Amino acid sequence: MADEELLICTACGTQFDIADPTKLQDCRICDDPRQFVPPSGQSFTTLAKLRSEDYVNKTARDSENDKALSIWTEPKFGIGQRAVLLQTEHGNVLWDLIAYLDQATIDLINSLGGLKAIVISHPHYYTTHLVWAKVFNCPVYLATEDKSWLCREANGLTAGKRIFIESDSQEIVPGVTAVKVGGHFPGSLVLHWENMLFIADSLVTVPSALYHVDRPKGTTSYSFMWSIPNMIPLPPADIVKIWKSLRPYSFTSTHGAFHGVDVRDPKLKGRVLESAKIAIAAMGYAENEIFAEEWQ
């Protein structure tokens, strides 16, 4: 069965091992309380159909590091997240994934050296990862805690393409490290590279993060959410775990799930801790261990 004919959820971009639309009525990713089914109901498409429509993948270099290239789809498809291509001296790593893959995107990535690996932050962005792995002949790194959310079996053509991260962190190539912070999903990941932290939905960049001048005390930069669209926050214990997972790493920028939510500040790590304290205090946990944490 051709990958191009397999059904893809139009709400989240997840691809299934089913081509017959009469045999797939629901998306298990969207039925989960972290996600949602649109008011119009569940619907599915395929890569073949998407390629016959007006979709195109756009790209943009990071404003301060031209070795980081964002890739996203227009018009918006599914959740609307971006992937980020990191051009390292040890090979290219793709952080997170989008569902739409066309020949122009394949040609662009191959012209830049192809892919050494793909790392996906959490199940909402698993999308068409077996297609990407096959096209670029590279492994996909996923957290072992979230493997139950996979919606495609790795068949003979893609066997061995998935590598499950068992430990709290794993170096993908020298200098590029996936860090397991949990929270949004038990295995939610971030990616650390060259003082940059790619956070996906593991920390959610909020509007007040993007303005740096004269910030009043108590202004947050990040929220910590179990469900982003349904606005259900994480409990304090999970927020503390996220901070402790990030504490060993130095970073001066964060790069969220969507194009245009990059935050830069030499004191940004302190703002992550400050945001964690603000979130936990707002829940009424004034005695939480987070308030003893400091950052210099």
Side-chain angles (χ1 to χ4, degrees):
M1 184 184 303
D3 291 328
E4 290 75 11
E5 301 300 328
L6 296 176
L7 295 176
I8 297 173
C9 172
T10 58
C12 72
T14 298
Q15 187 178 52
F16 292 81
D17 272 332
I18 300 170
D20 184 350
T22 67
K23 295 183 178 179
L24 185 62
Q25 304 300 318
D26 302 296
C27 171
R28 58 193 292 262
I29 299 295
C30 290
D31 278 342
D32 179 69
R34 275 165 286 217
Q35 186 45 18
F36 66 95
V37 176
S40 57
Q42 188 69 72
S43 63
F44 297 91
T45 186
T46 67
L47 267 178
K49 289 179 182 177
L50 291 172
R51 288 169 179 166
S52 70
E53 297 172 354
D54 294 328
Y55 290 98
V56 63
N57 284 340
K58 299 281 190 175
T59 63
R61 294 281 179 183
D62 183 76
S63 62
E64 295 189 8
N65 186 343
D66 64 5
K67 294 182 292 182
L69 178 73
S70 291
I71 307 170
W72 71 96
T73 302
E74 291 187 4
K76 175 187 171 183
F77 178 75
I79 294 172
Q81 76 275 9
R82 63 176 166 178
V84 185
L85 178 68
L86 309 181
Q87 293 180 261
T88 87
E89 61 184 28
H90 301 285
N92 296 337
V93 176
L94 190 67
W95 167 245
D96 269 337
L97 211 54
I98 54 178
Y100 186 60
L101 179 61
D102 60 5
Q103 192 59 49
T105 307
I106 295 169
D107 292 344
L108 172 63
I109 292 175
N110 282 334
S111 74
L112 297 174
L115 295 179
K116 187 82 168 179
I118 298 169
V119 187
I120 306 180
S121 62
H122 70 292
H124 288 162
Y125 301 158
Y126 285 175
T127 63
T128 56
H129 68 274
L130 290 185
V131 177
W132 288 73
K134 184 188 300 183
V135 166
F136 294 105
N137 191 31
C138 69
V140 181
Y141 288 80
L142 312 165
T144 191
E145 290 87 346
D146 298 333
K147 65 169 60 177
S148 65
W149 290 102
L150 291 165
C151 295
R152 288 197 60 190
E153 294 294 329
N155 56 39
L157 293 175
T158 56
K161 293 299 184 186
R162 291 174 178 150
I163 298 176
F164 293 100
I165 298 175
E166 305 279 351
S167 57
D168 291 339
S169 65
Q170 183 163 334
E171 190 171 59
I172 308 302
V173 300
V176 179
T177 303
V179 182
K180 194 177 294 177
V181 298
H184 181 39
F185 275 81
S188 282
L189 301 170
V190 300
L191 196 72
H192 183 262
W193 176 62
E194 290 195 352
N195 244 16
M196 304 169 79
L197 191 69
F198 298 86
I199 60 175
D201 291 340
S202 301
L203 292 74
V204 182
T205 308
V206 299
S208 62
L210 303 175
Y211 184 73
H212 303 162
V213 180
D214 299 328
R215 291 164 54 90
K217 183 180 173 75
T219 301
T220 194
S221 300
Y222 304 94
S223 64
F224 306 83
M225 307 296 285
W226 184 76
S227 170
I228 291 90
N230 299 316
M231 294 183 283
I232 303 172
L234 288 171
D238 285 352
I239 299 175
V240 172
K241 181 181 181 297
I242 290 172
W243 165 249
K244 288 183 175 180
S245 299
L246 295 178
R247 190 167 51 190
Y249 299 91
S250 297
F251 54 91
T252 56
S253 68
T254 59
H255 306 266
F258 304 97
H259 181 58
V261 288
D262 301 325
V263 184
R264 292 177 168 86
D265 186 340
K267 299 180 179 180
L268 192 57
K269 189 172 177 180
R271 286 170 57 183
V272 171
L273 177 57
E274 177 187 30
S275 297
K277 291 180 178 181
I278 290 169
I280 291 173
M283 297 181 204
Y285 292 87
E287 303 301 320
N288 189 275
E289 63 180 291
I290 196 73
F291 298 107
E293 293 285 321
E294 296 181 356
W295 175 83
Q296 298 295 331

